[in-house]
Amino acid sequence: MALINVHLNYNGNAEEAFTFYKSVFGGEFTKITRLKDLEGPDFPIDEKDANKIMHIALPIGNNTLMANDVPSFLGTVNENENRSKIAVSTQSREEADKLFNGLSAGGTVEMPIQDSPWGSYFGMFRDKYGIEWMIDFDSNS
C-alpha cells in the first residue's frame, strides 16, 4: 500500500522547526537542500533566500515529514490559517504523552491530552511554528 507523507511550507524557519521536531521524534534528516544548492545561470537565487530550505525530510517510522521555506518571490504562508492537522497514532499512552508534551511546548493547546468521549486517549494543539497536530492512542486498535 502507498504511504501518505506530510509536506509543510514555512516562512524561513523550516530548519528551526525540523530541528525541534527531530528533538521530539528522534532520528536523522535524510535530506537537506538549500535554495542556493539549486542556483545556476537559468535559476538565480536572491541572496536573502540562499540559505532557505528547498527540501528537508525527517523519517518518522515508515513515514516521512517533509518541508520547505517559501522563497520570497512567492510571498508568505499565512501561519494563522486553519490548516489541516497532522494526526499521529501512537503505540502507547506514554508515547502519546511524550509526543504531546514535546511538540506542544511553546504552542497553544486546543484540547488537552486525555481520555476522549470516543474511547481513545487524544489531544490537539498548534505548535510554536503554527502547525496543527492531533495525538491519539487507541488501545482497541
Side-chain angles (χ1 to χ4, degrees), residues 2 17 21 23 31 48 51 63 73 75 77-78 83 98-99 107 109 113 119 126-129 131 141:
Y21 300 150
S23 76
K31 186 83 170 174
K48 66 183 172 197
N51 282 317
N63 306 291
F73 69 86
V77 175
N78 180 350
R83 300 183 197 178
K98 176 184 180 252
L99 296 178
V109 173
I113 194 157
R126 182 184 295 261
D127 73 21
K128 63 186 175 183
Y129 300 101
I131 303 301
S141 51

Side-chain angles (χ1 to χ4, degrees), residues 63-85:
N63 306 291
T64 302
L65 185 62
M66 298 175 283
N68 68 281
D69 288 316
V70 176
S72 58
F73 69 86
L74 292 177
T76 58
V77 175
N78 180 350
E79 293 177 347
N80 294 315
E81 70 186 10
N82 187 10
R83 300 183 197 178
S84 299
K85 295 185 180 344

Side-chain angles (χ1 to χ4, degrees), residues 115-121 137-140:
D115 291 322
S116 70
W118 53 89
S120 70
Y121 187 60
F137 169 65
D138 187 347
S139 62
N140 298 315

Side-chain angles (χ1 to χ4, degrees), residues 20-21 24-25 81-88 90 95-114 122-136:
F20 172 68
Y21 300 150
V24 175
F25 287 106
E81 70 186 10
N82 187 10
R83 300 183 197 178
S84 299
K85 295 185 180 344
I86 299 174
V88 179
T90 65
E95 182 183 26
D97 285 335
K98 176 184 180 252
L99 296 178
F100 185 91
N101 293 330
L103 292 168
S104 67
T108 304
V109 173
E110 297 171 357
M111 182 177 187
I113 194 157
Q114 59 193 356
F122 178 84
M124 193 165 53
F125 58 91
R126 182 184 295 261
D127 73 21
K128 63 186 175 183
Y129 300 101
I131 303 301
E132 297 181 62
W133 297 79
M134 296 185 301
I135 307 294
D136 182 71

